[in-house]
């Protein structure tokens, strides 16, 4: 039987969602699960933006915002807030787990971004190619017919 301290308010999702450390996340297998693209054809912007969903072997998801820049000789995929200047908006979202440090304290967004940049992205060396491969870039290219 489980007892809860009734003097505290409990959030049901806090009880039901597993707590994971970055070390535990690093021990999981990760794959690119989904790619979404956002492009306003009327704006004339050369930048494509979207979201990549990474899924672990334990059904934890990390959603990353990305953008594609045309450098003139290649299309470069950058992860917003990790490889670009961070904005005020949330650019990384974790679903299926609450991330904590060794002392079971909630992990900061900065620590998560550093882990993604230094550990997760190197674990997925072809992620940029996979993102570009899942897009039909001819839908967004201008050409003279």
């Amino acid at each position: 039987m489980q007892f809860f301290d009734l003097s505290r308010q409990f959030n049901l999702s806090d009880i039901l969602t597993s707590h994971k450390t970055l070390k535990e996340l690093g021990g999981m297998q990760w794959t690119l699960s989904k790619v979404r693209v956002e492009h306003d054809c009327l704006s004339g912007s050369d930048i494509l933006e979207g979201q990549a969903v990474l899924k672990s072997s334990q059904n934890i998801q990390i959603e990353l915002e990305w953008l594609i820049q045309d450098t003139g000789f290649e299309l470069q995929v950058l992860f917003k807030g990790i490889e670009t200047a961070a904005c005020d908006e949330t650019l990384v979202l974790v679903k299926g787990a609450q991330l904590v440090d060794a002392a079971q304290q909630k992990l900061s967004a900065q620590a998560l971004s550093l882990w993604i940049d230094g550990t997760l992205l190197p674990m997925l060396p072809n992620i940029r190619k996979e993102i570009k491969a899942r897009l039909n870039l001819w839908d967004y290219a201008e050409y003279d017919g």
Side-chain angles (χ1 to χ4, degrees):
M1 181 179 276
Q2 245 181 337
F3 293 96
F4 296 105
D5 180 358
L6 297 178
S7 65
R8 285 181 53 205
Q9 256 192 333
F10 286 94
N11 184 341
L12 191 58
S13 67
D14 289 348
I15 298 168
L16 298 177
T17 306
S18 63
H19 289 65
K20 299 286 182 190
T21 63
L22 292 179
K23 186 175 182 180
E24 290 171 317
L25 290 186
M28 298 177 192
Q29 296 291 320
W30 290 90
T31 55
L32 181 61
S33 168
K34 185 167 60 171
V35 172
R36 190 189 79 224
V37 65
E38 298 169 3
H39 183 67
D40 182 359
C41 297
L42 301 175
S43 72
S45 172
D46 291 337
I47 295 178
L48 290 179
E49 297 188 29
Q51 179 187 65
V53 178
L54 306 177
K55 198 171 201 175
S56 80
S57 52
Q58 294 186 17
N59 215 26
I60 295 169
Q61 290 187 4
I62 297 179
E63 298 178 0
L64 302 171
E65 301 292 320
W66 56 261
L67 59 87
I68 292 182
Q69 282 184 320
D70 188 350
T71 63
F73 61 94
E74 71 168 352
L75 295 173
Q76 186 178 29
V77 176
L78 297 172
F79 293 100
K80 291 168 67 178
I82 295 167
E83 298 170 325
T84 67
C87 301
D88 294 335
E89 64 204 64
T90 302
L91 303 170
V92 178
L93 188 63
V94 179
K95 293 182 178 176
Q98 289 193 33
L99 301 185
V100 294
D101 59 19
Q104 295 296 307
Q105 298 296 313
K106 198 171 181 179
L107 204 66
S108 71
Q110 185 180 18
L112 176 60
S113 293
L114 289 171
W115 179 81
I116 289 170
D117 194 28
T119 304
L120 184 59
L121 293 179
M123 286 169 59
L124 300 165
N126 297 316
I127 188 171
R128 295 165 213 284
K129 287 180 189 171
E130 284 186 65
I131 287 172
K132 288 191 277 188
R134 292 195 192 193
L135 303 176
N136 184 357
L137 292 175
W138 288 111
D139 292 344
Y140 309 102
E142 265 187 30
Y143 57 92
D144 294 322

